[in-house]
Amino acid sequence: PSEVGVRNVDKNKKIIGYFGHLTDRWFDWEFLQKVAEARPEWQFDLIGHPDPTEDQLRPNIIYKGYLGHDDICSIARSWCCGIIPFKMSKLADGVDPIKIYEYLALGLPTVSLIMPQIKNYPYVILADSVKKFIDGIETSSEIKTDQDYIKTWLAQNTWEKRAEEMIRLASKQTHSN
């Protein structure tokens, strides 16, 4: 069985990964295609649904299917980083991408198109162009994540902790009126 948070990255071959929803509403296929075309020597593993169409893939964009947790963990061990190529939009700005927590738990730094809500998350590089995204992948592939730090950060960023903070803020607001 694979260990969560342990990467076995081949320094000679960059494999970049994504798992999650592949719908055109979120996922910026055109952007990823440009990145893949600019770096044909890199491999981009995609896991999720719905299945992409032939014209969405490139020779170095590999669709792995819709897989379970154990398979994802096993495949992700070869990734140098996780990516979030969500279209920059109000829709993306309004979500908290759960995959960022999963990537971090897997020990993966993450390169994302700009999503302001994750700009201060650890091991996250935001980009607004193909060049900056490629540079972010280059940088991420050299990062050695600190799993103790990630574990502590993740423990402070649970739904329970957020609910407690919202209750605290609401209570403070009520008492100040």
Side-chain angles (χ1 to χ4, degrees), residues 49-67:
H49 64 88
D51 293 357
T53 62
E54 288 285 325
D55 64 313
Q56 290 173 319
L57 300 176
R58 297 294 180 267
N60 58 337
I61 298 177
I62 312 301
Y63 178 60
K64 303 277 188 174
Y66 183 69
L67 304 174

Side-chain angles (χ1 to χ4, degrees), residues 9 20 33 49 51-52 58 60 76 102 107 126 128 132-133 139 141 164:
V9 176
Q33 290 164 349
H49 64 88
D51 293 357
R58 297 294 180 267
N60 58 337
E102 296 166 325
L126 298 178
D128 62 359
K132 288 178 184 176
F133 205 84
T139 300
S141 68
E164 289 170 1

Side-chain angles (χ1 to χ4, degrees), residues 40-53:
E41 70 280 13
W42 293 357
Q43 177 177 316
F44 296 84
D45 288 350
L46 302 182
I47 299 169
H49 64 88
D51 293 357
T53 62

